[in-house]
Amino acid sequence: MHDDRSIVEARLDRVLRERIRPAVHGDSVPLAVGRWDAPGEPVPVAEGLAAPYGPAAVGDAWGPAWGTTWFKVTGRVPREWAGHTVEAVLDLGFDRGMTGFQCEGLVHRADGEVVKGLHPHNDWVRIGERVAGGEEVELYVEAAANPVLNVQRPTRQGDRLTAHGRPLYRLRRMELAVFHTEVWELVRDLEVLDGLMRELPVDQARRWEILRALERALDALDLADVPGTAARARARLEGVLSSPAHASAHRISAVGHAHIDSAWLWPLRETVRKVARTAANTVHLMDTHPEYVFAMSQAQQFAWIKEHRPELWARVKKKVADGRFVPVGGMWVESDTNMVGGEAMARQFLYGKKFFLEEFGIDTREVWLPDSFGYTAALPQLVRLAGAEWFLTQKISWSQTNAFPHHTFWWEGIDGTRVFTHFPPVDTYNSDLRGRQLAHAARNYREKGGGTRSLVPFGFGDGGGGATREMLARARRLRDLEGSPRVSVEPPAAFFEAARAEYEHAPVWVGELYLELHRGTYTSQAQTKRGNRRSESLLREAELWAATAAVRVPGYAYPYEELERLWKTVLLHQFHDILPGSSIAWVHREARETYARVHRELEEIVTAAQRALAGGDGGDDGDGVTVVFNGAPHARRGIPAGGALPWPGGAGEPVTAEERPGGGYVLANGLLRVEIDGRGLVVSAYDLTADREAVAPGAAANLLQIHPDLPNLWDAWDVDAFYRHNVTDLTGLDGLRLDPPAADRASVTVRRSFGASSVVQRIALRSGSRTVDIDTEVDWHESEKILKAAFPLDVKADFSAAETQFGHVLRPTHTNTSWEAAKFEICAHRWIHVGEPGWGAAVVNDATYGHDVTRDVRADGGQTTTVRLSLLRAPRYPDPETDQGTHRMRYALVPGASIGDAVREGHWINLPERAVTGGGSPVAPLVTVDSEQVVVEAVKLAEDRGGDVVVRLYEAHGGRARATLTAGFPVASVTATDLLERPLDGAAERGAYEVVESGAVALRLRPFQILTLRLARSAAR
């Protein structure tokens, strides 16, 4: 037989495109259109429905960027259409190739009832089946003129304050049309078979069987009467569509989904509407497709529906109760996991799962994070402590260098906890269930011979509205079809239960799931990151001091509502395009404003609690005694962790300052001697106790360096390795002076300018301190550059230790393999440490996350390990003004530091002491722990408002720990809990804790173990 594949395939392409698809909607009549342009921000539905509508017509331009136009469409079904299915086709001016990134609409009836969303592949509203004719039609469309911003180039359209006012869209189609069901079904038959055929090997008989069946179907179709001959064409396809799949065919669990970024190329307020449009589409589709199962994550998005769309919320709750609209994920949002602090990660699960339990009675079992930019090695333990069993991600398929070796595996975290994990081989979380994608999933699946199944999330995301009727039609045809994987539409739990049952002994991946891409997100939008870090610290303090006051001060009321509201605000802004700095200017402008408000409120809570504890009115009239509060988890200057004392004064030898021969200054305090040369660089940081130099020979620490930074594609997201090819050391000096003497410190101020920017640094040494403190203020006006601060250290370190949630992660400093070389930019929280046996050094910070660590062997045979902090970037997309302006940051070098020193100093730089004027009485901590190896992460009152004290702690050094926790109040009982503060079965039996006497608990923790204890207060309160 001659090979005529290309001819038949080209024939099919043209006939589908030009004749069959256009025939789905047949006879049509125009709808009358009215419009009302809402002034400013979106208005409530009732206001939009009651607005004064003016005349409009197809072809009219509408929508300045971020504007809202309400369209009223009215008409009458022609009587000659009796017996037909009729739909309204409402095309707002869609670009068919850009679902989710352009204009969108939400259709309402005249009484305000939500009907469904509109987007490029879902632009219809069913009027009726077998209509009588003469029916009146009246619909209202709330149309959002969201600008197209996925353009990868600088744009001012990303903020309503800078966007132009020109219309962006034109109405393309507003009409009633006859819907030909048989033609629509024929399109689905042809698409499925065509997609399958093109994925089959040319030498396989099945491919040719499908080709000939398609040819016979086209022969049976009268192109002048497609509706009249569609059934005849479909009959020619029945044989190839009924042939069952092979017994060994890959099994796919298809889960309806709509990945909606809670902010990205649109502001938060628009996400509220995207969620409503998608939920409306979903429940509407479920009404006509009983097999449809849809999974939606992010409790915040459910909460938005509840708050803003109560009628839609009732419908969603009904579908949830039916088991078809499935809450997944168990987190408040799909957060970043690299930079979010430990306690904040715990609260993502606490408030997310709490919402699902309270609203639906559902305890979610899976953690659903398809799109975050890498996953912390602390996550498995948190997943299990949240009561979840499974983890799903997709983003690792984006890695540039190394292909991840597994799709179904056990993921082991830093403490040894394992969680059953799936990484869908379809390599997308927005599948449309076409043959190409499903064939890729089956071919790509790496667990062949061990497992047989994978999960495919299908549906348009980011406002695209989730699944469509076309996708569900494909799923029906692919349920059992020869040559294709078997497709079942089902909830995620069905997949995970079956996958684990068949593959209990899946391979193990140990450590972080590092994304070899998007490394710039550790640094972009520094003010957003600083706002988050400061919020996390303030929330810790607010809960600690409020809990202490609630236990100790009669009449003090713990601010439950305020703290929960503030936590949820901070958690929302940890979404994986907000905290990482990859959203538009509008999002980050609002984030800065929100963080400022959050900080003010938390400061008020902290101040009120501390004044209540300190006694007196807290005024500054000089009559009281200054009481110093220590909110850090380690004692300092004699002040216990979580306690307060009258001002303790100095804590070490006085600091001396003198001129340095050759220029500069020398600072010393009996522990360190720091030399700052005439360029204002730290050329020596000598550990007097260990008799050892920290700075590598001939090098200088706190060296600011600037690199060009234009990645190949994703500006705010990426730093590409070639940025290192060019570097400029910032050694030019505008000024260098010794600051006026202070009682407990000496400091040197350094001023520099570079490009259009300038920097002022204060390098200080404090009495009794082992840190070289560096307070930096940068007036940043560079473009497409990255600013680093380098610390070349005289230490042979094979690994760096970087703080992550509830512990730290070790990474090689060498680049023996491509996996190690790919980690040229890494994330650390409050500290990063490098060391050799017996001596090490740390760099701590108050708001920096991006770092790099490199090694070099010197001519003298010694090794220089250089730690660098990534201070600022200046990408131009999606925010062309990223980080322009003034930034203040603090970091410090800690010579001679152990891991424990790094942990302690990292907390201290983020939780400074607070001085309050009061009665002078000491404030004893609510709880104390007698080992610095065990860190108290949170002290709060229980979520159920019963008054119990909840303490979360962890082993911080990476070794086994024994310690005793002692409560500073009468304790009736001690219970280990999960993150939701529910009793944790078996914790005592595993030996994590033992109550040895009233108020004292013996702790025996494994490395990096997290333990949450609920201390019930006795009646003698």
Side-chain angles (χ1 to χ4, degrees), residues 17-277:
R17 181 178 64 252
E18 295 184 10
R19 301 300 171 90
I20 307 178
R21 288 195 185 100
V24 169
H25 286 105
D27 294 343
S28 64
V29 296
L31 288 160
V33 184
R35 69 182 285 177
W36 175 68
D37 298 299
E41 287 295 278
V43 301
V45 173
E47 185 175 341
L49 296 175
Y53 285 79
V58 169
D60 284 357
W62 68 278
W66 307 115
T68 300
T69 297
W70 282 79
F71 293 104
K72 178 181 180 180
V73 293
T74 56
R76 184 187 299 274
V77 177
R79 294 197 178 278
E80 57 268 28
W81 291 0
H84 287 283
T85 297
V86 176
E87 293 184 343
V89 182
L90 308 174
D91 186 339
L92 302 175
F94 296 126
D95 179 337
R96 302 288 165 182
M98 202 177 296
T99 305
F101 297 96
Q102 55 177 298
C103 61
E104 299 168 26
L106 183 58
V107 181
H108 302 78
R109 302 197 192 281
D111 61 1
E113 178 189 355
V114 175
V115 181
K116 64 188 293 288
L118 297 177
H119 66 75
H121 296 281
N122 205 340
D123 59 357
W124 54 271
V125 177
R126 180 63 57 89
I127 302 302
E129 299 177 17
R130 294 182 296 277
V131 298
E135 290 90 342
E136 295 284 347
V137 175
E138 182 178 354
L139 299 171
Y140 294 78
V141 181
E142 180 189 13
N146 299 333
V148 175
L149 297 178
N150 59 336
V151 291
Q152 295 295 318
R153 61 176 180 268
T155 173
R156 299 284 177 177
Q157 296 288 85
D159 194 332
R160 63 184 177 86
L161 302 183
T162 57
H164 65 64
R166 299 189 295 275
L168 299 180
Y169 301 101
R170 289 185 181 276
L171 290 182
R172 185 171 289 126
R173 189 176 182 185
M174 293 276 171
E175 59 190 30
L176 294 176
V178 171
F179 178 81
H180 294 297
T181 303
E182 201 68 17
V183 177
W184 185 87
E185 295 286 1
L186 175 61
V187 174
R188 309 287 79 80
D189 292 344
L190 295 172
E191 285 179 342
V192 165
L193 289 170
D194 182 39
L196 171 60
M197 175 187 68
R198 292 174 193 255
E199 295 299 323
L200 294 172
V202 174
D203 61 358
Q204 191 174 110
R206 175 66 168 164
R207 177 163 183 156
W208 292 91
E209 290 171 2
I210 295 173
L211 182 79
R212 294 304 163 211
L214 290 170
E215 186 175 42
R216 290 192 297 271
L218 294 176
D219 290 343
L221 193 69
D222 182 349
L223 299 186
D225 183 17
V226 172
T229 56
R232 186 171 68 195
R234 292 192 70 204
R236 305 286 177 92
L237 301 173
E238 288 178 356
V240 288
L241 281 171
S242 61
S243 182
H246 297 302
S248 61
H250 186 66
R251 296 177 182 273
I252 284 176
S253 297
V255 179
H257 186 47
H259 176 77
I260 304 178
D261 288 307
S262 287
W264 179 27
L265 303 180
W266 47 85
L268 287 167
R269 67 88 156 145
E270 191 57 31
T271 314
V272 174
R273 301 203 294 176
K274 284 177 177 282
V275 170
R277 291 188 282 260

Side-chain angles (χ1 to χ4, degrees), residues 251-524:
R251 296 177 182 273
I252 284 176
S253 297
V255 179
H257 186 47
H259 176 77
I260 304 178
D261 288 307
S262 287
W264 179 27
L265 303 180
W266 47 85
L268 287 167
R269 67 88 156 145
E270 191 57 31
T271 314
V272 174
R273 301 203 294 176
K274 284 177 177 282
V275 170
R277 291 188 282 260
T278 297
N281 265 347
T282 299
V283 296
H284 181 271
L285 197 57
M286 286 177 175
D287 287 340
T288 53
H289 293 74
E291 77 277 19
Y292 183 32
V293 176
F294 176 83
M296 183 165 131
S297 66
Q298 307 193 67
Q300 173 68 86
Q301 296 188 358
F302 283 89
W304 279 333
I305 301 173
K306 180 180 180 181
E307 178 183 357
H308 297 283
R309 303 281 180 169
E311 180 269 342
L312 179 58
W313 175 246
R315 296 166 64 190
V316 167
K317 288 198 75 170
K318 176 63 169 60
K319 300 300 184 186
V320 171
D322 292 342
R324 300 173 61 204
F325 199 121
V326 183
V328 293
M331 298 174 70
W332 190 249
V333 294
E334 288 185 16
S335 76
D336 171 78
T337 78
N338 288 312
M339 294 168 285
V340 173
E343 188 58 28
M345 282 299 303
R347 302 305 174 92
Q348 287 284 354
F349 290 109
L350 167 62
Y351 290 117
K353 295 198 72 171
K354 179 182 172 185
F355 182 91
F356 292 145
L357 281 164
E358 291 176 349
E359 296 295 338
F360 309 125
I362 292 175
D363 192 354
T364 53
R365 301 168 66 189
E366 65 288 296
V367 175
W368 185 277
L369 281 176
D371 190 33
S372 293
F373 310 146
Y375 304 92
T376 170
L379 203 50
Q381 184 177 191
L382 291 165
V383 169
R384 298 304 299 270
L385 286 174
E389 304 172 54
W390 311 308
F391 181 78
L392 178 137
T393 178
Q394 180 66 68
K395 200 69 173 187
I396 299 301
S397 67
W398 287 45
S399 284
Q400 287 178 313
T401 307
N402 298 285
F404 194 75
H406 309 299
H407 285 111
T408 299
F409 57 100
W410 288 98
W411 179 23
E412 181 178 316
I414 55 174
D415 73 309
T417 298
R418 293 179 178 179
V419 61
F420 192 75
T421 299
H422 184 62
F423 163 30
V426 70
D427 286 344
T428 178
Y429 41 80
N430 294 314
S431 172
D432 58 10
L433 299 183
R434 292 183 186 271
R436 176 181 54 81
Q437 293 175 346
L438 301 185
H440 174 75
R443 285 194 300 263
N444 191 37
Y445 182 61
R446 291 178 177 267
E447 269 56 62
K448 297 181 184 74
T452 64
R453 61 188 71 235
S454 65
L455 185 148
V456 173
F458 71 96
F460 291 115
D462 284 333
T468 63
R469 58 187 179 183
E470 289 80 11
M471 295 176 193
L472 290 172
R474 291 180 198 125
R476 285 196 301 273
R477 288 162 173 79
L478 295 168
R479 187 178 296 118
D480 189 14
L481 183 61
E482 182 185 354
S484 169
R486 285 189 173 90
V487 176
S488 299
V489 178
E490 58 189 3
F495 162 77
F496 276 107
E497 287 170 345
R500 178 169 175 177
E502 75 171 6
Y503 204 28
E504 177 69 27
H505 299 294
V508 177
W509 178 269
V510 178
E512 66 183 326
L513 296 175
Y514 178 90
L515 179 64
E516 297 172 352
L517 191 73
H518 293 358
R519 305 166 184 90
T521 58
Y522 311 149
T523 305
S524 295

Side-chain angles (χ1 to χ4, degrees), residues 523-527 706 709 754 778-781 785-788 848 869-875 883 885-887 889:
T523 305
S524 295
Q525 297 288 358
Q527 291 188 32
I706 198 164
D709 180 24
F754 54 94
V778 184
D779 187 17
W780 180 247
H781 297 285
K785 294 196 169 49
I786 185 170
L787 180 66
K788 296 257 187 177
T848 298
L869 296 86
S870 301
L871 302 181
L872 292 168
R873 297 187 65 220
D883 282 332
T886 301
H887 302 265
M889 56 202 77

Side-chain angles (χ1 to χ4, degrees), residues 263 333-341 344-345 348 373 520-536 570-583 587-588 591 595 716 805 827 829 847 849 883:
V333 294
E334 288 185 16
S335 76
D336 171 78
T337 78
N338 288 312
M339 294 168 285
V340 173
M345 282 299 303
Q348 287 284 354
F373 310 146
T521 58
Y522 311 149
T523 305
S524 295
Q525 297 288 358
Q527 291 188 32
T528 297
K529 292 171 170 59
R530 174 168 296 277
N532 175 74
R533 178 78 70 84
R534 183 65 181 143
S535 296
E536 290 180 346
V570 173
L571 299 179
L572 167 59
H573 286 79
Q574 291 172 342
F575 179 74
H576 66 252
D577 277 307
I578 303 179
L579 180 55
S582 46
S583 288
V587 173
H588 291 288
Y595 282 131
Q805 299 90 348
C827 184
H829 285 205
Y849 296 93
D883 282 332

